Amino acid sequence: VISVVYSPDGRQLASGSEDKSIRVWDAESGACLRTLEGHTDSVNSVVYSPDGRQLASGSEDETVRVWEAWTANLSNLLLKRRFEGSQDQPRSLKMKRD
């Protein structure tokens, strides 16, 4: 596990890992609720949107992906953006209210 973040309501945790996945956990029981897959390299950073509806992940594969936080279906990927020409992969993410 490389990155861990609480959901805004504190009921869930999301983790990003070297195994290329994002896992969403129940903060009270510790049970894994869902696994988000699609990155092709380690996930360096995960962050929830302020309303908890979206989850962003940054990876060594030079992409940032924005997911619907409550599903694990890859078709619910809201955004995939590659940052080509960058000297580094995304290491830290922050989402703000719009």
Side-chain angles (χ1 to χ4, degrees), residues 22-89:
I22 300 102
R23 286 188 171 77
V24 179
W25 308 86
D26 182 282
E28 187 174 325
S29 71
C32 182
L33 302 174
R34 67 192 66 77
T35 302
L36 304 173
E37 297 177 317
H39 282 293
T40 59
D41 209 335
S42 300
V43 178
N44 296 325
S45 184
V46 290
V47 64
Y48 278 94
S49 61
D51 63 8
R53 294 174 47 195
Q54 298 174 344
L55 184 63
S57 56
S59 169
E60 292 280 332
D61 67 9
E62 299 179 352
T63 65
V64 171
R65 295 168 185 244
V66 180
W67 312 79
E68 284 184 0
W70 303 108
T71 68
N73 187 337
L74 186 57
S75 67
N76 291 322
L77 175 68
L78 300 174
L79 171 72
K80 176 184 171 186
R81 172 100 189 258
R82 178 171 295 280
F83 292 89
E84 296 178 12
S86 170
Q87 300 221 345
D88 271 327
Q89 298 79 20

